[in-house]
Amino acid sequence: MTEAVIGPQTAPSVRLGLKENWPQFALLVLINAFVGGMVGIERTVVPLIGSEEFKISSTTLVVSFIVSFGVVKACANLVSGQLADAWGRKRVLILGWLVGLPVPFMIMWAPSWGWVIAANALLGINQGLAWSMTVIMKIDLVGPKSRGLAVGLNEFAGYLAVGVTAFLTGYLASKYGLRPAPIYLGVAYAVFGAALSILLVRDTREHVRLETAAHARQASPISFREIFVLTSFGDRNLFAASQAGLVNNLNDGMSWGIFPLFFASFGLHVDRIGILKAVYPATWGILQIATGPLSDRWGRKGLIVAGMWVQAAGLFLTAATSHFEWWLVGSLLLGLGTAMVYPSLIAAVSDASHPSWRARSLSVYRFWRDLGYAIGALSAGIIADLFGMAWAIGAIGALTFLSGAIVFVAMEGRPGARQ
């Protein structure tokens, strides 16, 4: 670790805690809402652009934009922690926004599906760098006592914005068509997010120095390779969290690409598809205000296990039914389960990581988690082409249930006990 990142001296005015740092914390919450909104512009309309405007009949090819997004975002996550420690959190946040600025324009004006795939590669970099920095900076600000709350508020803002934007794009598409009107929202998000990050955000590395000074000193420097191995499978808590994160986003990637096509195959109009695509991330986002702090009080394991199983129930219900009302219930269950899991997983990784390498451990976890987008979209697309979309949804539901069982067995501590 370089002295520029973790040193023995801290600014005298630096303090840890949400109350002590609420202006910067609130600013980062707002910025992450813009980050989430960038993904929200795609949740309803982009799969339909592929099938209806570009006349792509293969489900696997339609969801290829999610594969490019997931692979690139996973790799951006992997380097984000290294870059944050080397360059500072603010610089990486700004870089993420600069890369994301062309995305809405490329989607609006894409003459071929390849442009949409390329736009999603840039979106993956934007999300991997910008979202990573907002969550890492919030964890830096609040210190060890309120990590679940910090992560819950961060993910609340991001995924509520995903849900609201998914609804708005569905509504706009029903009135004005799939392009360009719904994508104008993305232009506003990118401009405001970049401007706020450049003008108002302050770096949080001094807060890391302060926490490190009060923490047990790392016996010897630890390499990124060692952190990668430890986070991936070397530590049972970090392994359990990493595989659950991968499967969580695997089912999210499947729902992103398959759900609009599945609902449309039953004749559902785009505005009602927008409602279903909004309910899931909005429920996920709003409930994290409660589930994040609950993970601080109850422990991480119980919420993670139960959340994965609730998600599986929502997927099974969606696959087995053919009416809007049942799909709405399935979306609510999927959102509830994800809200239980998402902040608990990030907090669990933070719990098991030393402050001096926490950002890099989180980047490895987020690498595995967001690789799930690509794996979920690709595998679901192949299953859908071979056996039908209901089978693809059901298969991912079974894998989600299995992942919860792995956490139940592998993660230390009793379910619901404070870790």
Side-chain angles (χ1 to χ4, degrees):
M1 187 66 61
T2 62
E3 184 67 15
V5 179
I6 304 295
Q9 302 298 320
T10 60
S13 61
V14 173
R15 294 183 295 169
L16 301 178
L18 178 56
K19 181 180 179 181
E20 292 80 0
N21 296 286
W22 73 264
Q24 275 291 301
F25 192 97
L27 175 63
L28 290 166
V29 169
L30 176 61
I31 290 173
N32 203 52
F34 292 134
V35 179
M38 292 289 287
V39 176
I41 63 172
E42 302 204 335
R43 288 280 173 149
T44 301
V45 300
V46 171
L48 299 176
I49 290 172
S51 63
E52 297 182 12
E53 288 198 6
F54 291 109
K55 307 300 180 185
I56 301 172
S57 58
S58 167
T59 305
T60 305
L61 186 56
V62 169
V63 301
S64 59
F65 77 97
I66 304 173
V67 176
S68 69
F69 169 83
V71 170
V72 173
K73 186 185 179 191
C75 294
N77 285 336
L78 193 60
V79 301
S80 65
Q82 292 277 78
L83 295 177
D85 286 343
W87 295 355
R89 277 74 159 137
K90 177 174 179 173
R91 290 177 180 174
V92 179
L93 175 64
I94 293 171
L95 176 61
W97 277 117
L98 294 179
V99 173
L101 282 171
V103 170
F105 300 101
M106 293 176 69
I107 296 173
M108 285 192 294
W109 300 330
S112 68
W113 193 239
W115 279 70
V116 176
I117 295 173
N120 274 271
L122 295 181
L123 182 63
I125 298 174
N126 162 258
Q127 296 291 301
L129 299 183
W131 200 308
S132 292
M133 290 309 102
T134 60
V135 70
I136 288 172
M137 293 173 84
K138 287 187 184 72
I139 290 172
D140 292 344
L141 289 172
V142 302
K145 292 183 179 180
S146 302
R147 286 178 184 142
L149 174 61
V151 173
L153 290 172
N154 187 78
E155 306 303 287
F156 153 75
Y159 285 100
L160 180 61
V162 172
V164 171
T165 306
F167 171 76
L168 291 175
T169 54
Y171 172 78
L172 291 171
S174 71
K175 296 291 185 182
Y176 306 108
L178 295 173
R179 292 192 296 174
I183 314 301
Y184 289 147
L185 292 169
V187 177
Y189 294 150
V191 170
F192 283 113
L196 290 174
S197 299
I198 292 169
L199 298 175
L200 298 179
V201 168
R202 296 196 300 269
D203 206 280
T204 58
R205 286 185 295 177
E206 289 293 338
H207 296 79
V208 180
R209 290 190 177 98
L210 180 60
E211 184 181 347
T212 303
H215 201 280
R217 192 169 181 83
Q218 186 74 30
S220 60
I222 183 169
S223 69
F224 182 71
R225 179 181 177 277
E226 291 172 309
I227 295 168
F228 186 90
V229 171
L230 194 65
T231 307
S232 302
F233 50 81
D235 177 276
R236 60 187 299 168
N237 285 348
L238 292 174
F239 158 74
S242 293
Q243 67 82 30
L246 185 148
V247 175
N248 182 89
N249 276 20
L250 185 148
N251 68 51
D252 187 32
M254 178 279 299
S255 72
W256 182 353
I258 299 295
F259 275 13
L261 305 178
F262 179 68
F263 300 146
S265 70
F266 288 90
L268 200 66
H269 196 259
V270 65
D271 57 343
R272 301 200 88 192
I273 294 174
I275 292 172
L276 292 172
K277 290 299 296 177
V279 164
Y280 161 40
T283 303
W284 170 1
I286 292 170
L287 291 182
Q288 285 179 110
I289 297 177
T291 58
L294 282 177
S295 79
D296 290 330
R297 298 182 62 184
W298 293 356
R300 322 300 185 192
K301 180 176 177 177
L303 284 170
I304 295 169
V305 173
M308 297 301 287
W309 289 348
V310 171
Q311 287 180 52
L315 293 172
F316 291 142
L317 180 62
T318 301
T321 56
S322 57
H323 297 288
F324 176 85
E325 293 77 14
W326 287 114
W327 292 334
L328 185 62
V329 175
S331 296
L332 287 168
L333 288 173
L334 197 55
L336 169 62
T338 309
M340 296 165 71
V341 165
Y342 227 70
S344 303
L345 285 172
I346 297 177
V349 174
S350 299
D351 293 341
S353 306
H354 190 277
S356 64
W357 49 268
R358 182 175 60 220
R360 287 175 290 165
S361 182
L362 282 167
S363 74
V364 175
Y365 160 73
R366 290 169 63 85
F367 165 78
W368 288 117
R369 190 193 69 185
D370 290 331
L371 194 61
Y373 281 122
I375 297 172
L378 184 60
S379 59
I382 293 171
I383 295 170
D385 283 334
L386 293 175
F387 304 106
M389 285 182 279
W391 278 98
I393 297 168
I396 300 302
L399 187 59
T400 302
F401 185 88
L402 176 62
S403 177
I406 291 173
V407 175
F408 185 87
V409 172
M411 187 171 280
E412 294 178 335
R414 292 180 294 104
R418 185 177 182 86
Q419 267 105 79

